[in-house]
Amino acid sequence: MSAKKGLHLTLKIWRQKNTKTKGQFETYKISDVSTDSSFLEMLDILNENLINEGKEPIAFDHDCREGICGMCSLYINGRAHGPDTGITTCQLHMRMFKDGETIVIEPWRSAAFPVIKDLMVDRSAFDRVMAAGGFISVNTSGNTLDANAILVPKEDADKAMDAAACIGCGACVATCKNGSAMLFVGAKVSQYALLPQGRVEAKRRVLSMVKAMDEEGFGNCSNTGACEVECPKGISLENIARMNREYMAAMADRG
């Protein structure tokens, strides 16, 4: 029985030395890629080849490679995380591509996510939005209440957990024609707004997080829905609507 034939591919990859320099696409050939390998494993093989040739390897982000950290974010053939749905780049397998295919690989494209090097972008804007209000302040001086003693309707708990599934990869921003982060911020606002523990600081939270989002240079939402389609965790647009309601209520209360 003959061995399974590997893929022969042409890769057009964005190379950029740093944030201040101008980048460009460079073309690479790679052969005998197993269809069982992941997309990141394919890039590992390419980098090993480049190192053996005395060339600089391609910088790209990765960590857990289990689809839960979001660091592996890449724009592949015009789609965030590539030609599959409900997955991160590390969960994308080479069986999704055809032998002889040309694959275009880019970093996220957003003014709020400047390129660090090659395929790596700076997503610390998300961290600053979270620092503005993505937390709950708890008095732990002996006055805490057992969480299990706080009754939460199952529907609210389920929606909060669905919102909390957001991994902050930034696919919503990269996919949105406006570079909007409203799906991300909406999810983070919702996961607290739906629970009684989060209601205490709800008004301050949504005002602070939306303000931070705007200051970071993210665009506004125009309801195209591309963010929900490409989100690897299927975060619903309902979270944007909930954030808008929370924001309007907070502004009305502030007067």
Side-chain angles (χ1 to χ4, degrees), residues 1 5-6 31 33 75 81 92 130 139 153 184 200 222 227 248:
M1 187 174 180
K5 182 182 177 183
S31 301
V33 177
Y75 213 68
H81 295 298
L92 178 66
M130 288 299 292
N139 183 352
F184 166 77
V200 179
S222 53
C227 54
M248 291 177 69

Side-chain angles (χ1 to χ4, degrees), residues 62-133:
H62 61 95
D63 192 6
C64 75
R65 298 201 178 197
E66 295 178 351
I68 57 177
C69 75
M71 287 188 67
C72 59
S73 309
L74 294 176
Y75 213 68
I76 303 165
N77 283 353
R79 290 189 64 181
H81 295 298
D84 205 347
T85 56
I87 55 102
T88 51
T89 300
C90 63
Q91 296 172 300
L92 178 66
H93 284 81
M94 297 309 297
R95 67 179 72 98
M96 297 296 297
F97 301 93
K98 298 178 181 178
D99 187 39
E101 187 172 348
T102 296
I103 305 175
V104 181
I105 310 168
E106 305 171 71
W108 283 167
R109 301 293 190 181
S110 170
F113 290 160
V115 174
I116 297 173
K117 183 176 182 180
D118 296 340
L119 303 175
M120 297 175 64
V121 299
D122 181 358
R123 287 175 292 174
S124 60
F126 272 6
D127 297 330
R128 291 187 288 274
V129 171
M130 288 299 292

Side-chain angles (χ1 to χ4, degrees), residues 8-208:
H8 298 267
L9 303 166
T10 299
L11 307 176
K12 293 184 67 176
I13 301 177
W14 185 259
R15 302 302 305 264
Q16 187 170 336
K17 187 175 182 180
N18 53 49
T19 302
K20 297 180 179 180
T21 59
K22 185 177 180 180
Q24 62 183 11
F25 281 105
E26 294 187 6
T27 302
Y28 303 90
K29 299 284 187 179
I30 187 168
S31 301
D32 201 26
V33 177
S34 170
T35 54
D36 294 326
S37 63
S38 72
F39 197 86
L40 295 190
E41 288 172 334
M42 181 273 293
L43 290 179
D44 288 336
I45 295 170
L46 174 63
N47 274 343
E48 185 175 352
N49 293 342
L50 291 175
I51 291 171
N52 290 337
E53 294 170 6
K55 299 177 181 178
E56 186 175 7
I58 296 153
F60 64 96
D61 258 332
H62 61 95
D63 192 6
C64 75
R65 298 201 178 197
E66 295 178 351
I68 57 177
C69 75
M71 287 188 67
C72 59
S73 309
L74 294 176
Y75 213 68
I76 303 165
N77 283 353
R79 290 189 64 181
H81 295 298
D84 205 347
T85 56
I87 55 102
T88 51
T89 300
C90 63
Q91 296 172 300
L92 178 66
H93 284 81
M94 297 309 297
R95 67 179 72 98
M96 297 296 297
F97 301 93
K98 298 178 181 178
D99 187 39
E101 187 172 348
T102 296
I103 305 175
V104 181
I105 310 168
E106 305 171 71
W108 283 167
R109 301 293 190 181
S110 170
F113 290 160
V115 174
I116 297 173
K117 183 176 182 180
D118 296 340
L119 303 175
M120 297 175 64
V121 299
D122 181 358
R123 287 175 292 174
S124 60
F126 272 6
D127 297 330
R128 291 187 288 274
V129 171
M130 288 299 292
F135 54 86
I136 294 173
S137 299
V138 178
N139 183 352
T140 59
S141 59
N143 297 318
T144 54
L145 181 66
D146 186 348
N148 290 328
I150 303 174
L151 298 180
V152 181
K154 185 178 187 304
E155 183 180 359
D156 290 346
D158 288 345
K159 288 181 178 179
M161 289 298 291
D162 289 344
C166 170
I167 57 176
C169 68
C172 51
V173 177
T175 300
C176 177
K177 63 181 181 180
N178 304 321
S180 173
M182 291 187 73
L183 190 67
F184 166 77
V185 180
K188 298 308 178 183
V189 167
S190 289
Q191 72 183 61
Y192 297 113
L194 287 161
L195 300 176
Q197 296 93 331
R199 292 309 308 168
V200 179
E201 300 172 288
K203 291 182 172 60
R204 182 201 60 79
R205 176 183 300 110
V206 69
L207 291 174
S208 297

